[in-house]
Amino acid sequence: MGIRVAIMGATGAVGQEFLRILEERDFPLAELRLLASARSAGKTMRFKGQDLPVEELTHNSFQGIQLVLASAGGKISRDFAPSAVKAGAVVVDNTSYFRMHANVPLVIPEINPGDIARHQGIIANPNCSTIIMCLALWPLHQRYQARRVVVATYQASSGAGAVAMHELEEETRAYLDGKPFVRTVIPHPYAFNLFPHNSPMTDSGYCEEEIKMVKETHKIFHSDAVRITTTCVRVPVLRAHSEALNIEFESEPDIEEAYAILGGAPGVQILEDREQNRWPMPVDASGKDPVLVGRLRKDQSQPRTLDLWVVGDQIRKGAALNAVQISERLFKV
Amino acid sequence: MGIRVAIMGATGAVGQEFLRILEERDFPLAELRLLASARSAGKTMRFKGQDLPVEELTHNSFQGIQLVLASAGGKISRDFAPSAVKAGAVVVDNTSYFRMHANVPLVIPEINPGDIARHQGIIANPNCSTIIMCLALWPLHQRYQARRVVVATYQASSGAGAVAMHELEEETRAYLDGKPFVRTVIPHPYAFNLFPHNSPMTDSGYCEEEIKMVKETHKIFHSDAVRITTTCVRVPVLRAHSEALNIEFESEPDIEEAYAILGGAPGVQILEDREQNRWPMPVDASGKDPVLVGRLRKDQSQPRTLDLWVVGDQIRKGAALNAVQISERLFKV
């Protein structure tokens, strides 16, 4: 009764997390094929007490596979997803490549699970910052009708992959030891430093990461009624993104009710201790499933507006977990 | 012709910076008295090639002193500033204690230099995040009339003092070495982590740091017409605060003109290279006088609104430099 699954990009930060999550959730597997670049072929990865071999990804890698979990970069998905679909698999793609394609559903299972059934072989997983924002925004939007969101992100190194996480640690160690360091992945000084998100800049003045957060939210919500402006920033945090959200609503929100709504929302957990001045932090969210929310307060600068603080594991709910949750619904496991 | 100056809290992060700035700017000194707690008395500090002794701060420390640069904490200023004023000195106070007192001017020299002359012995230096925001906000406000600001801060460890900067480094080193670490100043995990600002929480849901940014701006601008909502966050950066500003104006701003306004504004420097996707970073601002601004863009979520990115050295323009600039105007040096 198991499903025959392949992971494309198995050795990356998200790929490794796919293995952890499939094991934790006891996803029913008839086969688990680990695919990566030729460089990684021959390695093994640990899964349920076994060492599974990593195979080189080719166009013939998908024979008999029913589900591909893809996170090997946009170009790899562009080139190989069609081969997987041709071989009869459904691809749940974690890259940005197919997200805005008209016939590709873009899904956060807590928000638009109904879109899964409309797939034509490929289902896209949203951007990590989008998922984390939307999990908090959607339940409040359902109740109070969000009109405008101003969001500033605090994005971890994990968003640039396992190599970037390692590089942040190594650059920081070199800094503390007063030694020189040559960066290979991160484009700017990162030890005890931060920088506006380095995705390509557009003529609008927004970088692509910022535009993704807007366009993907509109696609997931099936509406562009919520206007959004974003500032995306990479901070020297290893894992888990934080976001400061300012949300203007159509109707006046009530703080206690808003807490209750978020407290009961799927995929969301309130984490705060007002007496201790203790609010969600990246270390709280790291390795955890729910997106953590706190610091709800009435914006004193205008009516019908809330400020809140959201932190989510970028590799987990921001990527691998969301893709596995899509897969669980797809295969009704 | 020199001025007889005392530094209260000479050994702290801002105290050390006072010495550097007085030396760099060749501030005319007839005397420089270094005051600190009994713990630091007997130490020496380097100034213009000499070792100056650190003396214990007492109520008798101010004999003959004309100017006190104070940065030893709010309670120390509360207790000792009156003694300094009684002894005939003017106190330029870097703590928050007197900032909102009605008869104490709160001054950013680029914005409200005229308030300096109204002092009654004490002049207050604004909060670091306030100064950094206001330097970018004020010139745009002059031209387009700001109505509402949504700001998210990315505040460095330096904001919690020299000990916090050291603790961030040491905790990070322990983390990298897999060793335990006992924090003494910072209340939360800080190595590769961040947390909402730990200043006391108020019933409004805003913490005191956030409220300072609003109230101080209104006092400096002589108007509460600019409504402001703030989210203050401490990030694992050593020095220099960053801020994401979203500013709604009364009249429609022009991006090129806004760049020109900020490029010509005192204390502000545009730093960006759009082709290279290169924007202001904390390491750019550290040890520098101007507040760095970049990423001006039209907010696509509503008209008459700009997003921009500001980075400033929290110890320098956010504290010591601003206080010295006030002193220069006060003594017409």
Side-chain angles (χ1 to χ4, degrees):
Chain A
M1 290 294 293
I3 299 151
R4 294 184 302 279
V5 176
I7 298 178
M8 228 163 83
T11 56
V14 176
Q16 294 172 42
E17 201 67 25
F18 276 137
L19 265 75
R20 252 175 249 127
I21 290 173
L22 292 174
E23 179 163 348
E24 274 177 30
R25 299 172 79 89
D26 209 12
F27 191 91
L29 292 165
E31 182 182 349
L32 181 58
R33 203 175 290 175
L34 307 184
L35 305 172
S37 66
R39 208 173 56 244
S40 295
K43 290 185 186 170
T44 61
M45 295 179 75
R46 200 80 185 158
F47 183 75
K48 292 196 173 178
Q50 288 188 295
D51 288 319
L52 300 186
V54 178
E55 300 169 39
E56 182 182 353
L57 169 66
T58 72
H59 290 282
N60 299 317
S61 294
F62 308 104
Q63 294 299 329
I65 291 295
Q66 295 169 276
L67 169 67
V68 176
L69 298 167
S71 192
K75 284 176 190 166
I76 303 291
S77 283
R78 178 195 66 194
D79 293 347
F80 287 89
S83 304
V85 173
K86 203 175 289 173
V90 178
V91 179
V92 179
D93 185 26
N94 193 55
T95 78
S96 64
Y97 188 75
F98 292 104
R99 284 182 196 147
M100 298 310 295
H101 285 217
N103 54 359
V104 173
L106 183 67
V107 176
I108 301 175
E110 291 87 346
I111 300 177
N112 60 333
D115 288 352
I116 293 172
R118 295 197 199 105
H119 81 84
Q120 298 175 26
I122 300 173
I123 302 168
N125 206 46
N127 170 277
C128 46
S129 299
T130 308
I131 294 176
I132 292 164
M133 173 175 74
C134 285
L135 275 183
L137 176 59
W138 177 253
L140 296 173
H141 175 53
Q142 295 294 96
R143 172 68 181 86
Y144 304 117
Q145 283 292 309
R147 294 201 305 199
R148 178 173 178 250
V149 180
V150 182
V151 52
T153 72
Y154 302 68
Q155 299 184 220
S157 61
S158 54
V163 185
M165 294 172 76
H166 182 70
E167 194 164 295
L168 171 58
E169 289 191 330
E170 291 309 304
E171 182 178 347
T172 304
R173 191 189 296 276
Y175 178 94
L176 290 169
D177 292 343
K179 290 183 182 162
F181 182 81
V182 179
R183 284 179 295 275
T184 59
V185 200
I186 304 291
H188 303 298
Y190 206 7
F192 303 114
N193 191 43
L194 56 77
F195 51 90
H197 198 282
N198 55 299
S199 55
M201 184 51 51
T202 71
D203 288 343
S204 66
Y206 291 92
C207 68
E208 286 186 3
E209 181 84 355
E210 292 163 347
I211 291 173
K212 284 176 190 171
M213 288 184 73
V214 179
K215 291 197 171 166
E216 294 181 14
T217 299
H218 291 164
K219 181 165 176 175
I220 294 161
F221 284 16
H222 295 183
S223 160
D224 58 4
V226 185
R227 291 164 290 123
I228 305 169
T229 183
T230 49
T231 299
C232 288
V233 179
R234 284 205 202 272
V235 294
V237 163
L238 278 174
R239 180 175 175 149
H241 290 356
S242 306
E243 302 183 8
L245 301 183
N246 178 273
I247 313 175
E248 182 184 334
F249 296 98
E250 191 67 35
S251 59
E252 185 67 63
D254 174 81
I255 289 286
E256 284 197 22
E257 186 185 62
Y259 267 110
I261 288 167
L262 286 170
V268 176
Q269 183 185 324
I270 303 291
L271 179 85
E272 57 175 53
D273 181 341
R274 202 162 279 261
E275 295 303 308
Q276 298 295 319
N277 211 351
R278 178 70 172 76
W279 317 96
M281 304 189 292
V283 292
D284 298 320
S286 294
K288 303 279 166 49
D289 286 356
V291 164
L292 306 177
V293 178
R295 292 212 70 200
L296 268 69
R297 57 200 190 279
K298 285 217 179 206
D299 177 341
Q300 297 196 329
S301 77
Q302 68 176 16
R304 300 187 310 282
T305 306
L306 291 183
D307 278 298
L308 61 149
W309 177 249
V310 188
V311 184
D313 187 313
Q314 176 274 324
I315 307 178
R316 233 175 144 80
K317 183 58 190 174
L321 173 63
N322 194 73
V324 172
Q325 288 170 323
I326 291 171
S327 306
E328 288 170 346
R329 297 215 177 218
L330 181 67
F331 288 94
K332 303 185 170 52
V333 302
Chain B
M1 292 293 292
I3 299 151
R4 295 185 300 281
V5 176
I7 298 178
M8 228 163 84
T11 56
V14 176
Q16 294 172 43
E17 200 68 25
F18 276 137
L19 266 76
R20 252 175 250 129
I21 289 173
L22 292 174
E23 179 163 347
E24 274 178 29
R25 299 172 78 90
D26 209 14
F27 191 91
L29 292 165
E31 182 182 348
L32 181 59
R33 204 173 289 174
L34 306 184
L35 305 172
S37 66
R39 206 174 56 242
S40 295
K43 290 184 185 172
T44 61
M45 294 179 75
R46 201 80 185 156
F47 182 74
K48 290 195 173 180
Q50 288 188 298
D51 287 320
L52 300 185
V54 178
E55 301 169 38
E56 183 183 353
L57 169 67
T58 73
H59 289 283
N60 299 316
S61 294
F62 309 105
Q63 294 298 328
I65 291 295
Q66 296 168 276
L67 169 67
V68 176
L69 297 168
S71 191
K75 285 175 189 165
I76 303 289
S77 282
R78 178 195 66 193
D79 293 347
F80 289 90
S83 305
V85 173
K86 204 174 287 174
V90 177
V91 179
V92 180
D93 185 25
N94 194 54
T95 79
S96 63
Y97 188 76
F98 293 104
R99 283 184 196 146
M100 298 310 295
H101 285 217
N103 56 358
V104 173
L106 182 67
V107 177
I108 301 174
E110 291 87 344
I111 299 176
N112 60 333
D115 289 351
I116 293 172
R118 297 196 198 105
H119 79 85
Q120 297 175 29
I122 299 172
I123 301 168
N125 206 46
N127 169 276
C128 46
S129 299
T130 308
I131 295 176
I132 292 164
M133 174 176 73
C134 285
L135 274 182
L137 176 59
W138 177 252
L140 295 173
H141 175 53
Q142 295 295 97
R143 173 67 181 87
Y144 305 117
Q145 283 292 309
R147 294 203 304 198
R148 178 172 178 251
V149 180
V150 182
V151 53
T153 72
Y154 302 68
Q155 299 185 219
S157 61
S158 55
V163 185
M165 295 172 75
H166 182 68
E167 194 163 293
L168 171 59
E169 289 189 332
E170 291 310 302
E171 182 179 347
T172 305
R173 191 190 297 276
Y175 178 94
L176 290 169
D177 292 343
K179 291 183 182 162
F181 183 80
V182 178
R183 283 178 296 274
T184 59
V185 200
I186 303 290
H188 302 298
Y190 206 7
F192 303 114
N193 190 42
L194 55 79
F195 50 90
H197 197 282
N198 55 299
S199 55
M201 184 52 50
T202 71
D203 288 341
S204 66
Y206 290 93
C207 68
E208 286 186 3
E209 180 84 355
E210 292 164 346
I211 291 173
K212 284 176 189 172
M213 288 184 73
V214 179
K215 291 196 171 168
E216 294 182 15
T217 299
H218 291 163
K219 180 164 176 174
I220 295 161
F221 284 15
H222 295 183
S223 161
D224 58 5
V226 184
R227 291 165 289 125
I228 304 169
T229 184
T230 49
T231 299
C232 287
V233 179
R234 285 205 201 272
V235 294
V237 163
L238 278 173
R239 181 176 173 146
H241 290 356
S242 306
E243 302 183 8
L245 301 183
N246 179 273
I247 314 174
E248 183 184 333
F249 296 98
E250 191 67 35
S251 59
E252 185 67 63
D254 174 81
I255 289 286
E256 284 198 22
E257 187 186 62
Y259 266 110
I261 288 167
L262 286 170
V268 176
Q269 185 185 320
I270 302 291
L271 179 85
E272 55 173 54
D273 181 341
R274 202 161 279 262
E275 295 303 308
Q276 298 294 319
N277 211 350
R278 179 70 173 76
W279 317 96
M281 304 189 291
V283 292
D284 298 321
S286 294
K288 303 281 167 48
D289 286 355
V291 163
L292 306 177
V293 178
R295 293 212 68 200
L296 269 68
R297 58 201 189 278
K298 286 218 177 203
D299 177 341
Q300 296 195 330
S301 76
Q302 67 176 17
R304 300 187 310 282
T305 306
L306 290 183
D307 278 298
L308 61 150
W309 177 247
V310 188
V311 184
D313 188 312
Q314 176 274 325
I315 308 179
R316 235 175 143 81
K317 183 60 188 174
L321 174 63
N322 194 72
V324 172
Q325 290 171 323
I326 291 172
S327 306
E328 288 170 345
R329 297 214 178 217
L330 180 66
F331 288 93
K332 300 186 170 55
V333 303

